[in-house]
CSV table of all heavy atoms in Angstrom, one decimal:
chain,number,residue,atom,x,y,z
A,1,MET,N,-78.0,-33.2,-5.7
A,1,MET,CA,-78.6,-33.8,-6.8
A,1,MET,C,-78.4,-33.0,-8.1
A,1,MET,O,-78.7,-33.5,-9.2
A,1,MET,CB,-80.1,-33.9,-6.6
A,1,MET,CG,-80.5,-34.8,-5.5
A,1,MET,SD,-80.1,-36.5,-5.8
A,1,MET,CE,-81.5,-37.0,-6.7
A,2,ARG,N,-77.8,-31.8,-7.9
A,2,ARG,CA,-77.5,-31.0,-9.1
A,2,ARG,C,-76.4,-31.6,-9.9
A,2,ARG,O,-75.4,-32.1,-9.4
A,2,ARG,CB,-77.1,-29.6,-8.7
A,2,ARG,CG,-78.2,-28.8,-8.1
A,2,ARG,CD,-77.8,-27.4,-7.9
A,2,ARG,NE,-78.9,-26.7,-7.2
A,2,ARG,CZ,-78.9,-25.5,-7.0
A,2,ARG,NH1,-77.9,-24.7,-7.4
A,2,ARG,NH2,-79.9,-25.0,-6.4
A,3,GLY,N,-76.6,-31.7,-11.2
A,3,GLY,CA,-75.6,-32.2,-12.1
A,3,GLY,C,-75.5,-33.7,-12.2
A,3,GLY,O,-74.6,-34.3,-12.8
A,4,LEU,N,-76.4,-34.4,-11.5
A,4,LEU,CA,-76.4,-35.9,-11.4
A,4,LEU,C,-76.5,-36.5,-12.8
A,4,LEU,O,-75.8,-37.4,-13.2
A,4,LEU,CB,-77.5,-36.4,-10.5
A,4,LEU,CG,-77.5,-37.9,-10.3
A,4,LEU,CD1,-76.2,-38.4,-9.7
A,4,LEU,CD2,-78.7,-38.4,-9.5
A,5,LEU,N,-77.5,-36.0,-13.6
A,5,LEU,CA,-77.7,-36.5,-14.9
A,5,LEU,C,-76.5,-36.3,-15.8
A,5,LEU,O,-76.1,-37.2,-16.5
A,5,LEU,CB,-79.0,-35.9,-15.5
A,5,LEU,CG,-79.3,-36.4,-17.0
A,5,LEU,CD1,-79.6,-37.8,-17.0
A,5,LEU,CD2,-80.5,-35.6,-17.5
A,6,ALA,N,-75.9,-35.1,-15.8
A,6,ALA,CA,-74.8,-34.8,-16.6
A,6,ALA,C,-73.6,-35.7,-16.2
A,6,ALA,O,-72.9,-36.2,-17.1
A,6,ALA,CB,-74.4,-33.4,-16.4
A,7,ARG,N,-73.4,-35.9,-14.9
A,7,ARG,CA,-72.2,-36.8,-14.5
A,7,ARG,C,-72.5,-38.2,-14.9
A,7,ARG,O,-71.6,-38.9,-15.4
A,7,ARG,CB,-72.1,-36.7,-13.0
A,7,ARG,CG,-71.2,-35.5,-12.5
A,7,ARG,CD,-71.0,-35.6,-11.1
A,7,ARG,NE,-72.3,-35.2,-10.4
A,7,ARG,CZ,-72.6,-35.6,-9.2
A,7,ARG,NH1,-71.8,-36.4,-8.5
A,7,ARG,NH2,-73.8,-35.3,-8.7
A,8,ARG,N,-73.7,-38.7,-14.7
A,8,ARG,CA,-74.0,-40.1,-15.1
A,8,ARG,C,-73.9,-40.3,-16.6
A,8,ARG,O,-73.4,-41.3,-17.1
A,8,ARG,CB,-75.3,-40.5,-14.5
A,8,ARG,CG,-75.4,-40.5,-13.0
A,8,ARG,CD,-74.5,-41.3,-12.3
A,8,ARG,NE,-74.8,-42.7,-12.5
A,8,ARG,CZ,-74.0,-43.7,-12.2
A,8,ARG,NH1,-72.9,-43.5,-11.6
A,8,ARG,NH2,-74.3,-45.0,-12.4
A,9,MET,N,-74.4,-39.3,-17.3
A,9,MET,CA,-74.4,-39.4,-18.8
A,9,MET,C,-72.9,-39.4,-19.3
A,9,MET,O,-72.6,-40.2,-20.2
A,9,MET,CB,-75.1,-38.2,-19.4
A,9,MET,CG,-75.2,-38.2,-20.9
A,9,MET,SD,-76.4,-39.4,-21.4
A,9,MET,CE,-77.9,-38.6,-21.0
A,10,LYS,N,-72.1,-38.6,-18.7
A,10,LYS,CA,-70.7,-38.6,-19.2
A,10,LYS,C,-70.0,-39.9,-18.9
A,10,LYS,O,-69.3,-40.5,-19.8
A,10,LYS,CB,-69.9,-37.5,-18.4
A,10,LYS,CG,-68.5,-37.3,-18.8
A,10,LYS,CD,-67.9,-36.2,-18.0
A,10,LYS,CE,-66.4,-36.1,-18.3
A,10,LYS,NZ,-65.8,-35.0,-17.5
A,11,PHE,N,-70.3,-40.5,-17.7
A,11,PHE,CA,-69.7,-41.8,-17.4
A,11,PHE,C,-70.2,-42.9,-18.4
A,11,PHE,O,-69.5,-43.7,-18.9
A,11,PHE,CB,-70.1,-42.2,-16.0
A,11,PHE,CG,-69.8,-43.6,-15.6
A,11,PHE,CD1,-68.5,-43.9,-15.2
A,11,PHE,CD2,-70.7,-44.6,-15.5
A,11,PHE,CE1,-68.1,-45.2,-14.9
A,11,PHE,CE2,-70.4,-45.8,-15.1
A,11,PHE,CZ,-69.1,-46.2,-14.8
A,12,HIS,N,-71.5,-42.9,-18.7
A,12,HIS,CA,-72.1,-43.9,-19.5
A,12,HIS,C,-71.7,-43.7,-21.0
A,12,HIS,O,-71.5,-44.7,-21.7
A,12,HIS,CB,-73.6,-43.9,-19.4
A,12,HIS,CG,-74.1,-44.6,-18.1
A,12,HIS,ND1,-74.6,-43.9,-17.1
A,12,HIS,CD2,-74.0,-45.8,-17.7
A,12,HIS,CE1,-74.9,-44.7,-16.1
A,12,HIS,NE2,-74.5,-45.9,-16.4
A,13,LEU,N,-71.5,-42.5,-21.4
A,13,LEU,CA,-71.1,-42.3,-22.8
A,13,LEU,C,-69.6,-42.8,-23.0
A,13,LEU,O,-69.3,-43.4,-24.0
A,13,LEU,CB,-71.2,-40.8,-23.2
A,13,LEU,CG,-72.6,-40.3,-23.5
A,13,LEU,CD1,-72.5,-38.8,-23.7
A,13,LEU,CD2,-73.1,-41.0,-24.8
A,14,ILE,N,-68.8,-42.5,-22.0
A,14,ILE,CA,-67.4,-43.0,-22.1
A,14,ILE,C,-67.4,-44.5,-22.1
A,14,ILE,O,-66.7,-45.1,-22.9
A,14,ILE,CB,-66.5,-42.3,-21.0
A,14,ILE,CG1,-66.4,-40.8,-21.3
A,14,ILE,CG2,-65.2,-43.0,-20.9
A,14,ILE,CD1,-65.7,-40.1,-20.1
A,15,GLY,N,-68.1,-45.1,-21.2
A,15,GLY,CA,-68.2,-46.5,-21.1
A,15,GLY,C,-68.7,-47.2,-22.3
A,15,GLY,O,-68.2,-48.2,-22.8
A,16,ALA,N,-69.8,-46.6,-22.9
A,16,ALA,CA,-70.3,-47.2,-24.2
A,16,ALA,C,-69.3,-47.1,-25.3
A,16,ALA,O,-69.2,-48.0,-26.1
A,16,ALA,CB,-71.6,-46.4,-24.5
A,17,PHE,N,-68.6,-46.0,-25.4
A,17,PHE,CA,-67.6,-45.8,-26.4
A,17,PHE,C,-66.5,-46.9,-26.3
A,17,PHE,O,-66.1,-47.5,-27.2
A,17,PHE,CB,-67.0,-44.4,-26.4
A,17,PHE,CG,-65.9,-44.2,-27.4
A,17,PHE,CD1,-66.3,-44.0,-28.7
A,17,PHE,CD2,-64.6,-44.2,-27.1
A,17,PHE,CE1,-65.3,-43.8,-29.7
A,17,PHE,CE2,-63.6,-44.0,-28.0
A,17,PHE,CZ,-64.0,-43.8,-29.3
A,18,VAL,N,-66.0,-47.1,-25.1
A,18,VAL,CA,-64.9,-48.0,-24.8
A,18,VAL,C,-65.4,-49.5,-25.1
A,18,VAL,O,-64.7,-50.2,-25.8
A,18,VAL,CB,-64.4,-47.9,-23.4
A,18,VAL,CG1,-63.5,-49.1,-23.0
A,18,VAL,CG2,-63.7,-46.6,-23.2
A,19,VAL,N,-66.6,-49.8,-24.7
A,19,VAL,CA,-67.2,-51.1,-25.0
A,19,VAL,C,-67.4,-51.4,-26.5
A,19,VAL,O,-67.0,-52.4,-27.0
A,19,VAL,CB,-68.5,-51.4,-24.2
A,19,VAL,CG1,-69.2,-52.6,-24.7
A,19,VAL,CG2,-68.2,-51.5,-22.7
A,20,SER,N,-67.9,-50.4,-27.2
A,20,SER,CA,-68.1,-50.5,-28.6
A,20,SER,C,-66.8,-50.6,-29.4
A,20,SER,O,-66.7,-51.4,-30.3
A,20,SER,CB,-69.0,-49.4,-29.2
A,20,SER,OG,-68.3,-48.1,-29.1
A,21,MET,N,-65.8,-49.9,-29.0
A,21,MET,CA,-64.5,-50.0,-29.7
A,21,MET,C,-63.9,-51.3,-29.4
A,21,MET,O,-63.3,-51.9,-30.3
A,21,MET,CB,-63.6,-48.8,-29.3
A,21,MET,CG,-64.0,-47.5,-29.8
A,21,MET,SD,-64.3,-47.4,-31.6
A,21,MET,CE,-62.6,-47.4,-32.1
A,22,GLY,N,-64.0,-51.8,-28.2
A,22,GLY,CA,-63.4,-53.1,-27.9
A,22,GLY,C,-64.1,-54.2,-28.6
A,22,GLY,O,-63.5,-55.1,-29.1
A,23,SER,N,-65.5,-54.1,-28.8
A,23,SER,CA,-66.2,-55.1,-29.6
A,23,SER,C,-65.8,-55.1,-31.0
A,23,SER,O,-65.7,-56.1,-31.7
A,23,SER,CB,-67.7,-54.8,-29.5
A,23,SER,OG,-68.1,-55.0,-28.1
A,24,ALA,N,-65.6,-53.9,-31.6
A,24,ALA,CA,-65.2,-53.8,-33.0
A,24,ALA,C,-63.8,-54.4,-33.2
A,24,ALA,O,-63.6,-55.1,-34.2
A,24,ALA,CB,-65.2,-52.3,-33.4
A,25,VAL,N,-62.9,-54.2,-32.3
A,25,VAL,CA,-61.5,-54.7,-32.4
A,25,VAL,C,-61.6,-56.2,-32.3
A,25,VAL,O,-60.9,-57.0,-33.0
A,25,VAL,CB,-60.6,-54.1,-31.4
A,25,VAL,CG1,-59.3,-54.8,-31.3
A,25,VAL,CG2,-60.3,-52.6,-31.7
A,26,LEU,N,-62.3,-56.7,-31.3
A,26,LEU,CA,-62.5,-58.2,-31.1
A,26,LEU,C,-63.1,-58.8,-32.4
A,26,LEU,O,-62.6,-59.9,-32.8
A,26,LEU,CB,-63.3,-58.5,-29.9
A,26,LEU,CG,-62.6,-58.3,-28.6
A,26,LEU,CD1,-63.5,-58.5,-27.4
A,26,LEU,CD2,-61.4,-59.2,-28.4
A,27,TYR,N,-64.1,-58.2,-33.0
A,27,TYR,CA,-64.7,-58.8,-34.2
A,27,TYR,C,-63.7,-58.8,-35.3
A,27,TYR,O,-63.6,-59.8,-36.0
A,27,TYR,CB,-66.0,-58.0,-34.5
A,27,TYR,CG,-66.6,-58.6,-35.8
A,27,TYR,CD1,-67.5,-59.6,-35.7
A,27,TYR,CD2,-66.4,-58.0,-37.0
A,27,TYR,CE1,-68.1,-60.2,-36.8
A,27,TYR,CE2,-67.0,-58.6,-38.2
A,27,TYR,CZ,-67.8,-59.6,-38.0
A,27,TYR,OH,-68.4,-60.2,-39.2
A,28,LYS,N,-63.0,-57.7,-35.5
A,28,LYS,CA,-62.1,-57.6,-36.6
A,28,LYS,C,-61.0,-58.7,-36.5
A,28,LYS,O,-60.8,-59.4,-37.5
A,28,LYS,CB,-61.4,-56.3,-36.6
A,28,LYS,CG,-60.3,-56.2,-37.7
A,28,LYS,CD,-59.8,-54.8,-37.8
A,28,LYS,CE,-58.6,-54.7,-38.8
A,28,LYS,NZ,-58.8,-55.3,-40.1
A,29,PHE,N,-60.4,-58.9,-35.4
A,29,PHE,CA,-59.3,-59.8,-35.2
A,29,PHE,C,-59.8,-61.2,-34.9
A,29,PHE,O,-59.1,-62.2,-35.1
A,29,PHE,CB,-58.3,-59.4,-34.2
A,29,PHE,CG,-57.5,-58.1,-34.7
A,29,PHE,CD1,-57.7,-56.9,-34.1
A,29,PHE,CD2,-56.7,-58.2,-35.8
A,29,PHE,CE1,-57.1,-55.8,-34.5
A,29,PHE,CE2,-56.0,-57.1,-36.2
A,29,PHE,CZ,-56.2,-55.9,-35.6
A,30,GLY,N,-61.0,-61.4,-34.4
A,30,GLY,CA,-61.5,-62.7,-34.0
A,30,GLY,C,-62.3,-63.4,-35.1
A,30,GLY,O,-62.4,-64.6,-35.2
A,31,VAL,N,-62.9,-62.5,-36.0
A,31,VAL,CA,-63.8,-63.1,-37.0
A,31,VAL,C,-63.4,-62.7,-38.4
A,31,VAL,O,-63.2,-63.5,-39.3
A,31,VAL,CB,-65.3,-62.6,-36.8
A,31,VAL,CG1,-66.2,-63.1,-37.9
A,31,VAL,CG2,-65.8,-63.1,-35.4
A,32,ALA,N,-63.3,-61.4,-38.7
A,32,ALA,CA,-63.0,-60.9,-40.0
A,32,ALA,C,-61.7,-61.3,-40.6
A,32,ALA,O,-61.6,-61.8,-41.7
A,32,ALA,CB,-63.1,-59.4,-40.1
A,33,GLU,N,-60.6,-61.2,-39.9
A,33,GLU,CA,-59.3,-61.6,-40.4
A,33,GLU,C,-59.2,-63.1,-40.6
A,33,GLU,O,-58.7,-63.5,-41.6
A,33,GLU,CB,-58.2,-61.0,-39.4
A,33,GLU,CG,-58.1,-59.5,-39.4
A,33,GLU,CD,-57.7,-58.9,-40.8
A,33,GLU,OE1,-56.9,-59.6,-41.5
A,33,GLU,OE2,-58.1,-57.8,-41.1
A,34,PRO,N,-59.6,-63.9,-39.6
A,34,PRO,CA,-59.5,-65.4,-39.9
A,34,PRO,C,-60.4,-65.8,-41.1
A,34,PRO,O,-60.0,-66.6,-41.9
A,34,PRO,CB,-60.0,-66.0,-38.7
A,34,PRO,CG,-59.8,-65.0,-37.6
A,34,PRO,CD,-60.0,-63.7,-38.2
A,35,ARG,N,-61.5,-65.1,-41.3
A,35,ARG,CA,-62.4,-65.4,-42.5
A,35,ARG,C,-61.7,-65.0,-43.8
A,35,ARG,O,-61.7,-65.8,-44.7
A,35,ARG,CB,-63.7,-64.7,-42.3
A,35,ARG,CG,-64.7,-65.0,-43.4
A,35,ARG,CD,-66.0,-64.3,-43.1
A,35,ARG,NE,-66.6,-64.8,-41.9
A,35,ARG,CZ,-67.7,-64.3,-41.4
A,35,ARG,NH1,-68.2,-63.2,-41.9
A,35,ARG,NH2,-68.2,-64.8,-40.3
A,36,LYS,N,-61.1,-63.8,-43.8
A,36,LYS,CA,-60.3,-63.4,-45.0
A,36,LYS,C,-59.2,-64.4,-45.3
A,36,LYS,O,-58.9,-64.7,-46.5
A,36,LYS,CB,-59.8,-62.0,-44.8
A,36,LYS,CG,-60.8,-60.9,-45.0
A,36,LYS,CD,-60.2,-59.6,-45.2
A,36,LYS,CE,-59.6,-59.0,-44.0
A,36,LYS,NZ,-59.2,-57.6,-44.1
A,37,GLN,N,-58.5,-64.8,-44.3
A,37,GLN,CA,-57.4,-65.8,-44.4
A,37,GLN,C,-57.9,-67.1,-45.0
A,37,GLN,O,-57.3,-67.7,-45.8
A,37,GLN,CB,-56.6,-66.0,-43.1
A,37,GLN,CG,-55.4,-66.8,-43.3
A,37,GLN,CD,-54.4,-66.2,-44.2
A,37,GLN,OE1,-54.2,-65.0,-44.2
A,37,GLN,NE2,-53.8,-67.0,-45.1
A,38,ALA,N,-59.0,-67.6,-44.5
A,38,ALA,CA,-59.6,-68.8,-44.9
A,38,ALA,C,-60.0,-68.8,-46.4
A,38,ALA,O,-59.7,-69.7,-47.2
A,38,ALA,CB,-60.8,-69.2,-44.1
A,39,TYR,N,-60.6,-67.6,-46.8
A,39,TYR,CA,-60.9,-67.5,-48.2
A,39,TYR,C,-59.6,-67.4,-49.1
A,39,TYR,O,-59.6,-68.0,-50.2
A,39,TYR,CB,-61.7,-66.2,-48.5
A,39,TYR,CG,-63.2,-66.3,-48.3
A,39,TYR,CD1,-63.8,-65.9,-47.1
A,39,TYR,CD2,-64.0,-67.0,-49.2
A,39,TYR,CE1,-65.2,-66.0,-47.0
A,39,TYR,CE2,-65.3,-67.1,-49.0
A,39,TYR,CZ,-65.9,-66.6,-47.9
A,39,TYR,OH,-67.3,-66.8,-47.7
A,40,ALA,N,-58.6,-66.7,-48.6
A,40,ALA,CA,-57.4,-66.7,-49.4
A,40,ALA,C,-56.7,-68.0,-49.5
A,40,ALA,O,-56.2,-68.4,-50.6
A,40,ALA,CB,-56.4,-65.7,-48.7
A,41,ASP,N,-56.8,-68.8,-48.4
A,41,ASP,CA,-56.2,-70.2,-48.5
A,41,ASP,C,-57.0,-71.1,-49.4
A,41,ASP,O,-56.4,-71.9,-50.2
A,41,ASP,CB,-56.2,-70.8,-47.1
A,41,ASP,CG,-55.2,-70.1,-46.2
A,41,ASP,OD1,-54.3,-69.4,-46.6
A,41,ASP,OD2,-55.4,-70.3,-44.9
A,42,PHE,N,-58.3,-70.9,-49.4
A,42,PHE,CA,-59.1,-71.8,-50.3
A,42,PHE,C,-58.9,-71.4,-51.8
A,42,PHE,O,-58.7,-72.3,-52.6
A,42,PHE,CB,-60.6,-71.6,-50.0
A,42,PHE,CG,-61.5,-72.3,-50.9
A,42,PHE,CD1,-61.7,-73.7,-50.8
A,42,PHE,CD2,-62.2,-71.7,-51.9
A,42,PHE,CE1,-62.6,-74.4,-51.6
A,42,PHE,CE2,-63.0,-72.3,-52.8
A,42,PHE,CZ,-63.2,-73.7,-52.6
A,43,TYR,N,-58.9,-70.2,-52.1
A,43,TYR,CA,-58.7,-69.8,-53.5
A,43,TYR,C,-57.3,-69.8,-54.0
A,43,TYR,O,-57.0,-69.6,-55.2
A,43,TYR,CB,-59.3,-68.4,-53.8
A,43,TYR,CG,-60.8,-68.5,-53.8
A,43,TYR,CD1,-61.6,-67.9,-52.8
A,43,TYR,CD2,-61.5,-69.1,-54.9
A,43,TYR,CE1,-63.0,-68.0,-52.9
A,43,TYR,CE2,-62.8,-69.2,-54.9
A,43,TYR,CZ,-63.6,-68.7,-53.9
A,43,TYR,OH,-65.0,-68.8,-54.0
A,44,ARG,N,-56.3,-70.0,-53.2
A,44,ARG,CA,-54.9,-70.1,-53.6
A,44,ARG,C,-54.7,-71.3,-54.5
A,44,ARG,O,-54.0,-71.2,-55.5
A,44,ARG,CB,-54.0,-70.2,-52.4
A,44,ARG,CG,-52.5,-70.2,-52.7
A,44,ARG,CD,-51.7,-70.1,-51.5
A,44,ARG,NE,-51.9,-68.8,-50.8
A,44,ARG,CZ,-52.3,-68.7,-49.5
A,44,ARG,NH1,-52.5,-69.8,-48.8
A,44,ARG,NH2,-52.5,-67.5,-49.0
A,45,ASN,N,-55.3,-72.4,-54.2
A,45,ASN,CA,-55.1,-73.6,-55.0
A,45,ASN,C,-56.4,-74.1,-55.6
A,45,ASN,O,-56.5,-75.3,-56.0
A,45,ASN,CB,-54.6,-74.8,-54.1
A,45,ASN,CG,-53.2,-74.4,-53.6
A,45,ASN,OD1,-52.4,-73.8,-54.2
A,45,ASN,ND2,-53.0,-74.8,-52.3
A,46,TYR,N,-57.4,-73.2,-55.7
A,46,TYR,CA,-58.7,-73.6,-56.3
A,46,TYR,C,-58.7,-73.7,-57.8
A,46,TYR,O,-58.2,-72.8,-58.5
A,46,TYR,CB,-59.8,-72.6,-55.9
A,46,TYR,CG,-61.2,-72.9,-56.4
A,46,TYR,CD1,-61.9,-74.0,-55.9
A,46,TYR,CD2,-61.8,-72.1,-57.3
A,46,TYR,CE1,-63.1,-74.3,-56.4
A,46,TYR,CE2,-63.0,-72.3,-57.8
A,46,TYR,CZ,-63.7,-73.5,-57.3
A,46,TYR,OH,-65.0,-73.7,-57.8
A,47,ASP,N,-59.2,-74.8,-58.3
A,47,ASP,CA,-59.2,-75.0,-59.8
A,47,ASP,C,-60.7,-75.1,-60.2
A,47,ASP,O,-61.3,-76.2,-60.0
A,47,ASP,CB,-58.5,-76.3,-60.2
A,47,ASP,CG,-58.4,-76.5,-61.7
A,47,ASP,OD1,-58.8,-75.5,-62.4
A,47,ASP,OD2,-58.1,-77.6,-62.1
A,48,PRO,N,-61.3,-74.1,-60.7
A,48,PRO,CA,-62.7,-74.1,-61.1
A,48,PRO,C,-63.1,-75.2,-62.1
A,48,PRO,O,-64.1,-75.7,-62.1
A,48,PRO,CB,-63.0,-72.7,-61.6
A,48,PRO,CG,-61.7,-72.1,-61.8
A,48,PRO,CD,-60.7,-72.8,-61.1
A,49,ARG,N,-62.2,-75.4,-63.0
A,49,ARG,CA,-62.4,-76.4,-64.1
A,49,ARG,C,-62.5,-77.8,-63.4
A,49,ARG,O,-63.4,-78.6,-63.8
A,49,ARG,CB,-61.3,-76.4,-65.1
A,49,ARG,CG,-61.5,-77.4,-66.2
A,49,ARG,CD,-62.8,-77.2,-66.9
A,49,ARG,NE,-62.6,-76.7,-68.2
A,49,ARG,CZ,-63.6,-76.4,-69.0
A,49,ARG,NH1,-64.8,-76.5,-68.6
A,49,ARG,NH2,-63.4,-75.9,-70.1
A,50,LYS,N,-61.6,-78.1,-62.5
A,50,LYS,CA,-61.7,-79.4,-61.8
A,50,LYS,C,-63.0,-79.5,-61.0
A,50,LYS,O,-63.6,-80.6,-61.0
A,50,LYS,CB,-60.5,-79.5,-60.9
A,50,LYS,CG,-60.4,-80.8,-60.1
A,50,LYS,CD,-59.1,-80.8,-59.3
A,50,LYS,CE,-59.2,-81.8,-58.2
A,50,LYS,NZ,-58.1,-81.7,-57.3
A,51,ASP,N,-63.4,-78.5,-60.4
A,51,ASP,CA,-64.6,-78.5,-59.6
A,51,ASP,C,-65.8,-78.7,-60.5
A,51,ASP,O,-66.8,-79.4,-60.2
A,51,ASP,CB,-64.7,-77.2,-58.8
A,51,ASP,CG,-65.7,-77.3,-57.6
A,51,ASP,OD1,-65.9,-78.4,-57.1
A,51,ASP,OD2,-66.2,-76.2,-57.3
A,52,PHE,N,-65.8,-78.0,-61.6
A,52,PHE,CA,-66.9,-78.2,-62.6
A,52,PHE,C,-67.0,-79.6,-63.1
A,52,PHE,O,-68.1,-80.2,-63.2
A,52,PHE,CB,-66.7,-77.2,-63.8
A,52,PHE,CG,-67.6,-77.5,-64.9
A,52,PHE,CD1,-69.0,-77.1,-64.8
A,52,PHE,CD2,-67.2,-78.1,-66.1
A,52,PHE,CE1,-69.8,-77.3,-65.9
A,52,PHE,CE2,-68.0,-78.3,-67.1
A,52,PHE,CZ,-69.4,-77.9,-67.0
A,53,GLU,N,-65.9,-80.2,-63.4
A,53,GLU,CA,-65.9,-81.6,-63.9
A,53,GLU,C,-66.4,-82.5,-62.8
A,53,GLU,O,-67.1,-83.5,-63.1
A,53,GLU,CB,-64.5,-82.0,-64.4
A,53,GLU,CG,-64.0,-81.2,-65.6
A,53,GLU,CD,-64.8,-81.5,-66.8
A,53,GLU,OE1,-65.4,-82.6,-66.9
A,53,GLU,OE2,-64.8,-80.6,-67.7
A,54,ALA,N,-66.0,-82.3,-61.6
A,54,ALA,CA,-66.5,-83.2,-60.5
A,54,ALA,C,-68.0,-83.0,-60.3
A,54,ALA,O,-68.7,-84.1,-60.1
A,54,ALA,CB,-65.8,-82.8,-59.2
A,55,MET,N,-68.5,-81.8,-60.4
A,55,MET,CA,-70.0,-81.6,-60.3
A,55,MET,C,-70.7,-82.2,-61.5
A,55,MET,O,-71.8,-82.8,-61.3
A,55,MET,CB,-70.3,-80.2,-60.1
A,55,MET,CG,-70.0,-79.6,-58.8
A,55,MET,SD,-70.6,-77.9,-58.5
A,55,MET,CE,-69.5,-77.0,-59.5
A,56,ARG,N,-70.1,-82.1,-62.7
A,56,ARG,CA,-70.8,-82.6,-63.8
A,56,ARG,C,-70.8,-84.2,-63.8
A,56,ARG,O,-71.8,-84.8,-64.1
A,56,ARG,CB,-70.0,-82.2,-65.1
A,56,ARG,CG,-70.7,-82.6,-66.4
A,56,ARG,CD,-70.2,-81.8,-67.5
A,56,ARG,NE,-69.1,-82.4,-68.1
A,56,ARG,CZ,-68.5,-82.0,-69.2
A,56,ARG,NH1,-68.9,-81.0,-69.8
A,56,ARG,NH2,-67.4,-82.7,-69.7
A,57,ALA,N,-69.7,-84.8,-63.3
A,57,ALA,CA,-69.6,-86.2,-63.2
A,57,ALA,C,-70.6,-86.7,-62.2
A,57,ALA,O,-71.2,-87.8,-62.3
A,57,ALA,CB,-68.2,-86.6,-62.9
A,58,ALA,N,-70.9,-86.0,-61.2
A,58,ALA,CA,-71.8,-86.4,-60.1
A,58,ALA,C,-73.3,-86.2,-60.5
A,58,ALA,O,-74.2,-86.6,-59.8
A,58,ALA,CB,-71.5,-85.6,-58.8
A,59,GLY,N,-73.5,-85.4,-61.6
A,59,GLY,CA,-74.8,-85.2,-62.1
A,59,GLY,C,-75.5,-84.0,-61.4
A,59,GLY,O,-76.8,-83.9,-61.4
A,60,VAL,N,-74.8,-83.2,-60.7
A,60,VAL,CA,-75.3,-82.0,-60.0
A,60,VAL,C,-75.9,-81.0,-60.9
A,60,VAL,O,-76.9,-80.4,-60.7
A,60,VAL,CB,-74.3,-81.4,-59.0
A,60,VAL,CG1,-74.8,-80.2,-58.4
A,60,VAL,CG2,-73.9,-82.5,-58.0
A,61,LEU,N,-75.2,-80.8,-62.0
A,61,LEU,CA,-75.6,-79.7,-63.0
A,61,LEU,C,-76.6,-80.3,-64.0
A,61,LEU,O,-76.3,-81.2,-64.7
A,61,LEU,CB,-74.3,-79.2,-63.7
A,61,LEU,CG,-73.2,-78.6,-62.7
A,61,LEU,CD1,-72.0,-78.3,-63.5
A,61,LEU,CD2,-73.8,-77.4,-62.0
A,62,GLU,N,-77.7,-79.6,-64.1
A,62,GLU,CA,-78.7,-80.1,-65.0
A,62,GLU,C,-78.4,-79.7,-66.4
A,62,GLU,O,-78.8,-80.3,-67.4
A,62,GLU,CB,-80.1,-79.6,-64.6
A,62,GLU,CG,-80.6,-80.1,-63.3
A,62,GLU,CD,-81.9,-79.5,-62.9
A,62,GLU,OE1,-82.5,-78.8,-63.7
A,62,GLU,OE2,-82.3,-79.8,-61.7
A,63,SER,N,-77.7,-78.6,-66.6
A,63,SER,CA,-77.5,-78.1,-68.0
A,63,SER,C,-76.3,-78.8,-68.6
A,63,SER,O,-76.1,-78.6,-69.8
A,63,SER,CB,-77.2,-76.6,-67.9
A,63,SER,OG,-76.1,-76.3,-67.1
A,64,ALA,N,-75.5,-79.5,-67.9
A,64,ALA,CA,-74.3,-80.2,-68.5
A,64,ALA,C,-74.5,-81.7,-68.3
A,64,ALA,O,-74.8,-82.2,-67.2
A,64,ALA,CB,-73.0,-79.7,-67.7
A,65,ARG,N,-74.4,-82.4,-69.4
A,65,ARG,CA,-74.5,-83.8,-69.4
A,65,ARG,C,-73.4,-84.5,-68.6
A,65,ARG,O,-72.2,-84.1,-68.8
A,65,ARG,CB,-74.6,-84.4,-70.8
A,65,ARG,CG,-75.9,-84.0,-71.4
A,65,ARG,CD,-76.0,-84.6,-72.8
A,65,ARG,NE,-75.1,-83.8,-73.6
A,65,ARG,CZ,-74.6,-84.2,-74.8
A,65,ARG,NH1,-75.0,-85.3,-75.3
A,65,ARG,NH2,-73.8,-83.4,-75.5
A,66,ALA,N,-73.7,-85.5,-67.9
A,66,ALA,CA,-72.7,-86.3,-67.1
A,66,ALA,C,-71.9,-87.2,-68.1
A,66,ALA,O,-72.5,-87.7,-69.1
A,66,ALA,CB,-73.3,-87.1,-66.1
A,67,ARG,N,-70.7,-87.3,-67.9
A,67,ARG,CA,-69.9,-88.2,-68.8
A,67,ARG,C,-69.6,-89.5,-68.2
A,67,ARG,O,-69.4,-89.7,-67.0
A,67,ARG,CB,-68.5,-87.5,-69.1
A,67,ARG,CG,-68.8,-86.3,-70.1
A,67,ARG,CD,-67.4,-85.8,-70.5
A,67,ARG,NE,-67.6,-84.7,-71.4
A,67,ARG,CZ,-66.7,-84.0,-71.8
A,67,ARG,NH1,-65.4,-84.3,-71.6
A,67,ARG,NH2,-66.9,-83.0,-72.6
């Protein structure tokens, strides 16, 4: 029974480190990178003036009169 806690602690620390690094890598490539790419694709052809005019025409903006 001597050293049981130290051996188990070493095993669990290594396992926790591997699992946490794997989770971080999966999140980065499974969530963060596709999200950044989606934002880049959206803003590549985004025209804020056109969007403003569409919202104004729909009456969404209270401070700008609809035409």
Side-chain angles (χ1 to χ4, degrees):
M1 296 294 276
R2 288 185 187 190
L4 179 64
L5 178 63
R7 275 186 288 153
R8 300 300 292 171
M9 184 73 75
K10 182 179 177 183
F11 173 76
H12 285 111
L13 282 174
I14 291 171
F17 180 76
V18 169
V19 168
S20 65
M21 291 305 288
S23 297
V25 168
L26 284 175
Y27 180 82
K28 177 175 175 45
F29 293 111
V31 176
E33 292 297 326
R35 186 177 292 170
K36 284 196 286 188
Q37 187 62 42
Y39 275 105
D41 292 342
F42 176 77
Y43 283 110
R44 185 172 295 121
N45 297 321
Y46 179 67
D47 184 14
R49 180 56 108 183
K50 180 180 165 188
D51 199 26
F52 170 73
E53 292 297 333
M55 285 190 287
R56 187 164 87 174
V60 174
L61 303 174
E62 294 178 7
S63 62
R65 287 181 286 167
R67 290 186 180 178

